[in-house]
Every structure is written in structure tokens, then in C-alpha cells.
Amino acid sequence: MASPPTAVPWIPPVLYTAVLAGGIYHAVVSDGPVRVGRTGGFVAGLVLLVALELVERRRWSPSTPVRPAAALLAARLALFSAVAVLDGSGVSRALFVLVPFTAYLVFGRRTGLACGAGCVVLLVTGYTLWVPRWWVRVEYVSDLLMFGLGLALAVSMAAVAVREQQGRSRLEGVLAELENSHERLSEYALRVAELSTADERNRVAREIHDSLGHHLTAVAIQLEKAEAFRERDPRASAKAVSDARWSAGRALTEVRESVSALRDARPFSLTRALADLVRHLGDDRLTVTLHVTGDEAGYDAASLTALYRTAQEALTNAHRHGRATRIDVTAAYGESTARLVVADNGRGFTADPAARPSGTGFGIRGMRERVELLGGRVDIDDHSDPRAADGAVVTVTVPRSPLLAGSSG
């Protein structure tokens, strides 16, 4: 424990001033001759005490280490004794109340109380040695009682100062911890913002790929078809141009719907969206059928949107990569989960390495990420279609409500 000189800094100077005033007053008004040497020594002792206070505060402020504080306490005790011997008024005995006060601050409660008891014993011993039968003289008994009261007040004030210092230290510790916590929270908030930004970036990337990517791919396919059949089959070419125009219009509509969804939630119908998608994808070279069982009412929009985006990706893969001539789309709404199955008779994913389930194509990866974020599952089988030797079967299962709160389509 260290002595805090700033705990109650005004006590020693006030006490020194009071003792100086009392000693000089007694020397002036006393009947005996004024002893200049004794009075000068008395004043010099008080000056040295003030000098010790100044040195301690300048050298060790705001707290004095234990060893220097103990040395200073011993020096003060010696000066207190010298001043008390040179003081004829007896007022200087009040200086000894600073001994338990300072000891309490330096060494703690037990040492402070022991020093206070030691001061009382010292005073009683001095009375006993130099004042015969002092205990029957009112002035000495009164002085002893007042001295004991002063010691009690000094120890109490030291206890208050220590508690205040400890409370201030705890408060500073709490404030430092709060500041550290605030810094950590700021770092966590920044990290969360970065993760949220990355998550939103991935979501937007999936949305662009699944929506605009699908329709732009369909537009490209239809325009290629229109170019190929322009001379041989004008009717098929015109139909392809019409389908390309529809895909472009549908892409624009979905962009508008996505923007509107950011402002207010509009109901999304997976069955209607699938029917619209299947109707415009099929032609004389590709047959697409849709089978729906159950009711989509009560399903979360994020789950339904995930199934729709998966259907778009699967149909695009079957048409463009698999060169399928028949695609069957089945949507089944159960009590707790919905399942979408897209089966085709094309060449499967093995025809295009970039589209394989184990590949790194963004379409397959985005499909899995979107569904798994909702607590669903994606299964892809290249050769399990019972109606064809080749082909692919994409099965997607999602819960009625997303397992991840706050998920969006």
C-alpha cells in the first residue's frame, strides 16, 4: 500500500499553522522571558515539516512508495518530538495525531491503530516521568482525553480517505474496463458490419445469377435458335424471338419486383411463377411439364423463392448444358417441408464439367448456399431418372419456415 499525499492534502499544513500560531502566542504572552533560541528551534522544526510535505508531493505525487513513505514518517516523528520539546504551550502535541493518520495511509488499518495506541502510551509515559500525580490534575487528564479524541478523528479521517481512494481506483478500473469493452464492441460491430456486407454481397450475387442470369441465358439461347432457324423454319425463328422478348420482359419484371420487395413485402406465388416459367420455356423441341401437389399457403416467402431460383437454375442447366428434350418439374407442399424435383432426359452434368455438382460453377454453389441457409437440402443425381438412361434429377427440400431468422430470397 502506498501513501496518497493528495488524499487529504490540507490537513498537515492547517495543523502546522495552528501549532505555530499557538506556540508563538504562548511565547509572547507568557510571564517568563522569551527564549529566542528555543522559539527559533520550534519554528525551524515546523518549517522542516512543511519542507518534507513539499518534497514528498513534488517527488512522488500522486502516491508515495512504501519505503520512502516509511522513512518520511520516521523523520516526521522525530521532528514532532523535537517541536514538542521546544514548545512551551503544549499545543504541538496535536502534531502526533498525524502519526496514525499517515501510518494508516501507508501501511493500512492495523498499523494506523497501533501507532495511535503507541502515541497514547508515549504521552502517558511522558506524563508519568515528568509530571508527578498527573492523573489527579484536571488539565493533564483533559489534555489526554482531547489527544485521544484527536487520534480517533485522525484515524477515522484516514479510513475515509482510504475508502475514497479505493473507490476512485475501482471507478477508474470500471471506466477503463468500460472503455475497453466499448473498443471491443466497436471492433465487433465493425466485424459484424463487414460480415453482413459480405453476406449481403453474396446474396445479391446469387440473386443476380439466379434471376437475371437465367433470363439472359434464355434470351441468348432463343436468339441463337432464331438465328439458326431464320432460313429453314421462319415460324420457329419467330417463336424464338418472341420467347426471347418474353424472357427479357420477365427479367425486367423481376428486377422491379426485387426493388419493390425492399420497400414492402408483396405475396409471392411459387405455383404461379413455375407455371409461367414452364409455359414460356417449352417449344416444339422441348417438352416441359409441371406437377403440383399440396398448398403453398403458410410457407415463408424465402423458402418459396429458393425453390423458384433452384427451378430456374435446373431448367437452364437441363436446356443449355444437358440438351434435354423433356423436363418434368414436380412441386409438392407438405405439412412441414416443400420439395421440388426437376428431372430431365438430357446428357446430365457429366456433359459439362463446369455444371457438375462437385464442380465449382457458381450456379450449383449458389443453389446449395441459398437452400442450406434456410435449413434445406439439395440432392443432384446424374443417372437416377427411371425414365431415361441418362439425364439429371435435382431434388430440393426446404422447411416451411427458414431455420435461419432473417433469411431472404
Side-chain angles (χ1 to χ4, degrees), residues 180-198:
N180 292 334
S181 299
H182 177 71
E183 292 178 357
R184 290 195 297 269
L185 286 175
S186 298
E187 293 175 359
Y188 294 155
L190 180 60
R191 181 59 179 164
V192 169
E194 292 175 352
L195 293 176
S196 300
T197 300

Side-chain angles (χ1 to χ4, degrees), residues 232-254:
R232 291 181 296 173
D233 192 344
R235 183 177 179 183
S237 178
K239 176 68 166 53
V241 172
S242 177
D243 289 341
R245 184 182 298 111
W246 177 87
S247 294
R250 183 60 189 172
L252 181 60
T253 299
E254 290 191 6

Side-chain angles (χ1 to χ4, degrees), residues 148-164:
L149 179 60
L151 290 176
L153 291 176
V155 170
S156 299
M157 187 170 294
V160 172
V162 168
R163 284 196 295 270
E164 180 185 358

Side-chain angles (χ1 to χ4, degrees), residues 214 274 277 306-316 329 340 342:
H214 165 78
L274 289 176
L277 181 63
L307 291 180
Y308 178 68
R309 298 304 185 201
T310 303
Q312 285 182 314
E313 180 67 25
L315 288 170
T316 298
V329 181
L340 174 74
V342 179

Side-chain angles (χ1 to χ4, degrees), residues 67-227:
R67 288 186 178 180
L72 289 171
L73 178 59
R76 287 190 180 95
L77 183 59
L79 289 173
F80 291 164
S81 301
V83 170
V85 171
L86 296 173
D87 180 23
S89 67
V91 178
S92 57
R93 288 195 293 268
L95 293 175
F96 286 92
V97 301
L98 293 177
V99 174
F101 177 81
T102 305
Y104 197 116
L105 297 177
V106 177
F107 301 106
R109 179 174 178 271
R110 291 183 178 180
T111 304
L113 293 177
C115 288
C119 289
V120 173
V121 171
L122 181 63
L123 181 61
V124 171
T125 301
Y127 282 170
T128 303
L129 293 176
W130 292 297
V131 182
R133 296 179 56 84
W134 64 268
W135 55 87
V136 296
R137 300 175 65 174
V138 175
E139 64 271 21
Y140 287 99
V141 174
S142 176
D143 286 346
L144 179 61
L145 293 176
M146 293 300 295
F147 183 71
L149 179 60
L151 290 176
L153 291 176
V155 170
S156 299
M157 187 170 294
V160 172
V162 168
R163 284 196 295 270
E164 180 185 358
Q165 185 73 11
Q166 292 173 344
R168 187 183 299 110
S169 299
R170 285 195 294 267
L171 179 60
E172 291 174 353
V174 170
L175 292 177
E177 183 63 26
L178 287 176
E179 184 176 356
N180 292 334
S181 299
H182 177 71
E183 292 178 357
R184 290 195 297 269
L185 286 175
S186 298
E187 293 175 359
Y188 294 155
L190 180 60
R191 181 59 179 164
V192 169
E194 292 175 352
L195 293 176
S196 300
T197 300
D199 183 68
E200 182 65 12
R201 188 185 300 115
N202 291 334
R203 188 193 71 81
V204 172
R206 288 195 302 269
E207 189 70 22
I208 292 175
H209 177 275
D210 296 344
S211 178
L212 292 179
H214 165 78
H215 289 297
L216 292 178
T217 299
V219 169
I221 293 174
Q222 295 298 338
L223 291 179
E224 290 175 1
K225 179 179 178 181
E227 180 67 21

